[in-house]
Amino acid sequence: MATIRDVAKRAGVSPATVSSVINGTKKISAPVQERVRKAMDELDYRPNALARGLFRGKTRTIACLVPSMSNPALSSILVAVEESANERDYSVFVANTRGSVELVAKYCNRLLEMRVDGVLLTLTWELARAEVVDLFRRHGIPVVGCAGGSALSSIHCYTADERKAGYDLGRYLGSLGHKRCAWIGPRESTVGSQRLEGLVAGFASAGDDFSRELVSETER
């Protein structure tokens, strides 16, 4: 791959002049700019974004830590994050932690080495931990939480009202005349507990009791 020195040699200028043309940091005459850009095209030169980012202290990358991209709710969030990042010329790196504390630690170290500019993490049990947030913040990397029930007071968190969602569902099913409802949810899940609590309240508001016998818990 061509380097900035190759471009400078082809255009008959210094590497500093090529850098000024690329970054617009110094006024360069039109004829010289034309020669430099022609040399870049001929050599198919691409500026090293990583090197430029490290020099400026900004890599224009955002990391998203999620338990699984296969979750439809998280997939829609990631699409929105990527669209917003692209509008601002940022790249997005996604890491699937698969509910593993060991994988979280591995990804955290890798992201620090990559010098990411910010981290978005889902508020699941393996990620919504003070030590994870503190690790990034010690290195000056902002962290934002989303989509989960374990919100942290130390960072900005954006979560859905899971209890209200369950309540609305229970009230709706009760209004249709349903008397019994099966609930299947993950064991020891804050989000699941909030949804179930709302569902029970929703059924009660419709005049029906939710049968606890129909509650089923899964490992995940």
Side-chain angles (χ1 to χ4, degrees):
M1 185 174 291
T3 67
I4 195 170
R5 294 186 179 278
D6 296 328
V7 174
K9 183 177 180 181
R10 175 71 65 93
V13 298
S14 68
T17 298
V18 177
S19 178
S20 295
V21 171
I22 295 172
N23 299 310
T25 54
K26 184 179 179 182
K27 188 174 181 179
I28 304 296
S29 67
V32 173
Q33 287 194 48
E34 185 178 349
R35 291 211 316 272
V36 170
R37 298 194 185 284
K38 181 180 179 181
M40 291 171 60
D41 290 339
E42 291 174 350
L43 296 172
D44 195 22
Y45 171 74
R46 308 299 171 92
N48 189 325
L50 180 59
R52 294 167 68 188
L54 293 176
F55 177 76
R56 296 176 178 178
K58 294 289 183 181
T59 58
R60 304 196 73 78
T61 56
I62 297 172
C64 293
L65 291 167
V66 298
S68 173
M69 283 193 297
S70 62
N71 184 312
L74 296 182
S75 297
S76 63
I77 290 174
L78 291 175
V79 169
V81 169
E82 185 178 35
E83 289 178 350
S84 181
N86 281 333
E87 291 174 359
R88 294 161 176 79
D89 294 325
Y90 275 79
S91 298
V92 178
F93 179 87
V94 180
N96 285 280
T97 63
R98 300 201 293 273
S100 167
V101 174
E102 290 75 18
L103 263 181
V104 171
K106 181 177 181 179
Y107 276 126
C108 285
N109 289 326
R110 183 178 300 175
L111 296 175
L112 289 174
E113 293 172 356
M114 292 171 60
R115 304 294 196 274
V116 295
D117 293 331
V119 174
L120 175 71
L121 55 82
T122 53
L123 299 168
T124 48
W125 72 271
E126 81 280 14
L127 287 167
R129 295 181 292 129
E131 53 264 40
V132 174
V133 174
D134 291 343
L135 177 63
F136 288 113
R137 296 179 76 175
R138 285 202 306 271
H139 290 82
I141 300 174
V143 180
V144 174
C146 72
S150 303
L152 298 172
S153 59
S154 59
I155 59 175
H156 289 294
C157 296
Y158 300 87
T159 60
D161 190 337
E162 304 294 349
R163 188 183 185 284
K164 185 178 185 304
Y167 179 88
D168 290 344
L169 177 59
R171 186 173 179 81
Y172 174 70
L173 292 175
S175 70
L176 295 178
H178 296 291
K179 302 296 183 181
R180 305 172 73 230
C181 176
W183 167 264
I184 301 176
R187 184 179 296 115
E188 298 180 356
S189 166
T190 303
V191 170
S193 297
Q194 292 173 351
R195 290 175 180 172
L196 177 57
E197 180 184 329
L199 184 63
V200 172
F203 258 96
S205 70
D208 294 303
D209 292 327
F210 182 85
S211 176
R212 288 282 177 177
E213 297 178 358
L214 296 179
V215 175
S216 178
E217 294 181 327
T218 61
E219 290 299 325
R220 295 285 183 180

